[in-house]
Amino acid sequence: MEGLVLKLPLAFQTLVTGLAIGGIYALMAVGYSLIFSILNFSNFAYGMVIMLASFLGYFAMSGLGLGLGPALLCAMLGAALLSFLNERVAYSSLRRRRAPPLYFMISAMGTSIFLENMVYATIGSRYNAYPELFAVPTLNIFGASIGKMDLFAMVFSVLAISALTFFIHHTRLGIAIRGASYDASMAELNGVSLDWLIGTVFALAGLFAGLSGVFLGIKYMAYPNMGWITNKAYIAAVIGGLGSLPGAVAGGFLLGVLETFVSVYLSSTLRDVFSFSLLILFLVLMPSGLFGKTLEEKV
Amino acid sequence: MTYLKGIAILAMINAISAVGLAVFTGFTGMMSLGHAAFMAVGAYTCAIATKTFGLPFLLALPLAGLVAGLSSLLIGIPTLRANLRSDYFTIATLGFGEAMRVLLENLTITNGARGMAGLKNHSTFGVTLAVLVLVIFFAKNFVFSRYGRMAIAIREDPVAAELSGIGLFPVRLRSMFFSAVCAGIGGALMAHHIRFIQPSMFTGVQSTLLTATVVAGGMGSLTGPVLAAFLFAFVPELLRVADMWRLVAYGALLVAIIVLRPQGLMGYRELSLRRPSGRRRAPNG
């Protein structure tokens, strides 16, 4: 009995920590899934956009001395532009000549290597810590401590995702995006400019990359080798079902919580093996994830 | 001269792995971002066999290929049998590669993240060249065999191939096994050339570079990737560019090739001493 009393707070603490990181995973997965839903391929360059956004936020706060709000805005706009350019340079011509998905992925990997090493070569491999935002950084909720920044990130993530859901369901542009995600050529026949729409989707995903980049930077610092954590974006998206936004959110939180439990109760080194094994398990057994629509490759 | 020889050996080692991957990516149309894991399995198998168990190198080398091939079944059987969409498959191989690296970092027999040092130099110019020639010979025979033809049919159109009575799973698995054996042997040669291995040598970047070599050489060519492996090894070395800029250039090159010249250096053609028999159709894209 005593053991149980001692152990419960740890479980609760683990849950809270897991939810805090899960919020950021959800944010990343939403942006990743958004691109997947419309172009139907896995944009590996997305992680590097998140990494660059994290640097943008760092420079805005440490270099220019901006507050959190303006820095977030800077990072979001910068990442949106970057994501948009990524599509125009690396994917738009492939799209026009209807290249196989293989080509898109190679192009995405190329972009990803290019961006990561560009940062190594120009900015350097140092870890850049964001300035402290709160004097007392943690808060106590029912015996579990949570960083104020984590709480803010979590609330903000939920707000941002709700805003996106509203946008997707209740605006003309959102309806066009949903239409194109089912059948791009049909949407085009109905007068949607696909070029413009896809550009918008990449910019929109970039906004989410910007948000998650800054939150990740605050939590883990900004450095070029962030791929290990931005990889979680597609793991979470696969768990939830690629291309499904509610799925991405659920997958993000689920992955965050499961991962934290593994690292607390089993071993922290096993955490990433666990996540990748989960990824493979889902791909093999449940390729459409928890919420995804069943997608067959188009002939 | 020894300096040039060293680069040539590295180029040949990369070419060995690239020829294997050419069969899988170029001829079977599956993209893997986890082949560095098979190189790692080969490298560690060979290193442990020679260093810990004192096996002769010429016995350990085929063993490394075999173990790497078997390890490919681990990921190949479930994912290929499930007939995943091609991009899901790629994501799965990426996950496999990462998981393997983390595993190597935490096993005791591999000496964890510190890696294994003090390996003997067995990968001489002659040995590496002999292996490369052998691998190209096998790959050529494979591609021109019935199995290779089936693989090409699947690359061109999996649905049509399946309707013609070709089983997707066995053909794809066979190609994957072959490519993993080549990668394992490449990794083993690398271990005994650099004489030091650690898990961080076999990351996703290494996998992507292998894919880049195949794409740059031409998806549908065996000698193209060999040529690309040599260019990738010699050009940056001769220009003396820093390692980081080299990777920046690889990334940009990969995008440029796919966007501007998807057929790569050679397209469907092979380097040959004979006169080329006219231009063939470039891969569409």
Side-chain angles (χ1 to χ4, degrees):
Chain A
M1 191 59 210
E2 203 176 36
L4 193 69
V5 173
L6 274 175
K7 270 173 194 151
L8 258 182
L10 180 62
F12 185 60
Q13 175 69 55
T14 312
L15 181 71
V16 169
T17 314
L19 285 176
I21 182 70
I24 304 181
Y25 287 173
L27 214 48
M28 294 194 296
V30 162
Y32 176 85
S33 236
L34 202 58
I35 294 176
F36 190 95
S37 74
I38 202 136
L39 275 191
N40 237 317
F41 87 104
S42 180
N43 182 17
F44 293 122
Y46 188 66
M48 293 305 125
V49 176
I50 296 176
M51 183 266 289
L52 279 164
S54 155
F55 270 100
L56 278 177
Y58 167 75
F59 286 129
M61 281 171 87
S62 287
L64 304 175
L66 297 177
L68 180 61
L72 269 177
L73 199 67
C74 266
M76 284 168 76
L77 291 179
L81 183 68
L82 202 67
S83 177
F84 178 79
L85 289 177
N86 173 17
E87 197 275 330
R88 282 293 118 107
V89 172
Y91 311 133
S92 64
S93 71
L94 294 180
R95 195 154 49 72
R96 272 186 218 109
R97 60 182 145 106
R98 301 189 178 278
L102 184 69
Y103 286 29
F104 281 90
M105 275 188 289
I106 296 171
S107 199
M109 273 324 281
T111 313
S112 163
I113 295 186
F114 173 78
L115 290 177
E116 178 175 359
N117 288 285
M118 204 62 176
V119 172
Y120 270 120
T122 52
I123 305 177
S125 57
R126 263 175 305 126
Y127 287 65
N128 301 290
Y130 276 61
E132 249 347 294
L133 285 165
F134 299 103
V136 184
T138 57
L139 210 67
N140 228 315
I141 308 172
F142 306 119
S145 82
I146 178 173
K148 277 184 190 162
M149 198 54 229
D150 284 342
L151 196 65
F152 175 74
M154 205 154 82
V155 172
F156 210 86
S157 306
V158 171
L159 280 180
I161 294 167
S162 315
L164 178 72
T165 315
F166 179 82
F167 172 78
I168 290 278
H169 284 274
H170 297 282
T171 62
R172 270 174 73 88
L173 189 56
I175 291 166
I177 291 175
R178 279 194 299 145
S181 82
Y182 275 95
D183 192 332
S185 14
M186 199 59 215
E188 202 166 23
L189 285 177
N190 280 308
V192 175
S193 159
L194 216 50
D195 251 353
W196 196 75
L197 187 78
I198 287 172
T200 314
V201 167
F202 270 81
L204 209 58
L207 292 180
F208 278 83
L211 266 183
S212 46
V214 172
F215 291 152
L216 277 181
I218 291 172
K219 209 169 161 60
Y220 297 114
M221 298 190 269
Y223 54 98
N225 192 16
M226 275 167 96
W228 69 271
I229 189 142
T230 52
N231 277 345
K232 302 287 163 63
Y234 64 73
I235 302 185
V238 166
I239 292 177
L242 277 169
S244 148
L245 294 187
V249 177
F253 279 108
L254 195 66
L255 181 67
V257 170
L258 287 178
E259 234 188 48
T260 316
F261 269 95
V262 167
S263 63
V264 168
Y265 285 95
L266 290 174
S267 131
S268 58
T269 49
L270 276 181
R271 190 189 60 190
D272 287 357
V273 178
F274 166 79
S275 305
F276 283 113
S277 311
L278 201 64
L279 169 78
I280 295 174
L281 267 181
F282 262 92
L283 282 174
V284 171
L285 301 176
M286 259 177 100
S288 53
L290 297 173
F291 293 84
K293 43 186 181 186
T294 320
L295 285 167
E296 282 295 316
E297 209 153 4
K298 283 167 195 158
V299 178
Chain B
M1 198 55 207
T2 42
Y3 168 67
L4 281 182
K5 234 180 188 171
I7 306 170
I9 291 175
L10 261 186
M12 288 193 291
I13 289 172
N14 282 332
I16 290 166
S17 309
V19 167
L21 192 62
V23 168
F24 191 55
T25 300
F27 286 92
T28 318
M30 303 292 283
M31 185 182 173
S32 158
L33 289 175
H35 263 58
F38 305 134
M39 289 184 79
V41 170
Y44 272 99
T45 307
C46 198
I48 292 168
T50 54
K51 199 178 176 215
T52 317
F53 296 104
L55 233 63
F57 177 68
L58 287 181
L59 215 66
L61 190 62
L63 182 73
L66 184 69
V67 175
L70 290 179
S71 76
S72 79
L73 300 182
L74 218 67
I75 178 76
I77 289 179
T79 52
L80 292 176
R81 173 170 288 158
N83 197 9
L84 294 181
R85 292 166 40 119
S86 59
D87 46 351
Y88 286 16
F89 173 78
T90 307
I91 298 174
T93 57
L94 186 72
F96 176 75
E98 291 296 312
M100 183 63 87
R101 188 178 52 79
V102 180
L103 211 61
L104 288 175
E105 275 172 7
N106 292 295
L107 288 178
T108 34
I109 191 164
T110 58
N111 203 17
R114 274 167 299 160
M116 298 180 70
L119 304 172
K120 293 215 176 63
N121 181 16
H122 289 300
S123 307
T124 56
F125 188 85
V127 169
T128 322
L129 182 65
V131 174
L132 176 61
V133 169
L134 217 64
V135 163
I136 294 178
F137 174 74
F138 276 121
K140 180 177 163 282
N141 277 354
F142 182 78
V143 165
F144 285 95
S145 73
R146 200 176 125 79
Y147 300 125
R149 297 301 183 208
M150 293 203 267
I152 293 171
I154 290 176
R155 173 193 68 193
E156 289 300 317
D157 192 332
V159 177
E162 202 172 17
L163 288 174
S164 313
I166 300 173
L168 302 183
F169 171 63
V171 174
R172 282 174 173 163
L173 191 68
R174 203 177 286 126
S175 292
M176 188 172 190
F177 186 83
F178 180 81
S179 68
V181 170
C182 293
I185 289 176
L189 287 168
M190 190 151 112
H192 287 276
H193 171 64
I194 302 177
R195 296 157 69 192
F196 167 69
I197 46 173
Q198 68 183 122
S200 64
M201 285 159 69
F202 306 100
T203 57
V205 173
Q206 174 69 35
S207 298
T208 314
L209 283 185
L210 266 184
T211 303
T213 314
V214 174
V215 172
M219 286 187 276
S221 169
L222 288 175
T223 41
V226 174
L227 184 69
F230 273 86
L231 285 179
F232 279 3
F234 274 98
V235 172
E237 210 58 59
L238 296 179
L239 297 177
R240 308 228 165 240
V241 278
D243 207 37
M244 290 174 293
W245 288 106
R246 180 145 84 185
L247 286 171
V248 172
Y250 279 150
L253 190 70
L254 209 51
V255 177
I257 289 172
I258 278 295
V259 170
L260 304 172
R261 194 182 154 80
Q263 69 269 40
L265 279 173
M266 299 297 294
Y268 282 179
R269 285 164 297 153
E270 300 288 354
L271 279 179
S272 167
L273 296 175
R274 272 166 282 168
R275 219 167 62 86
S277 56
R279 276 182 79 96
R280 256 164 272 174
R281 193 177 62 88
N284 62 345

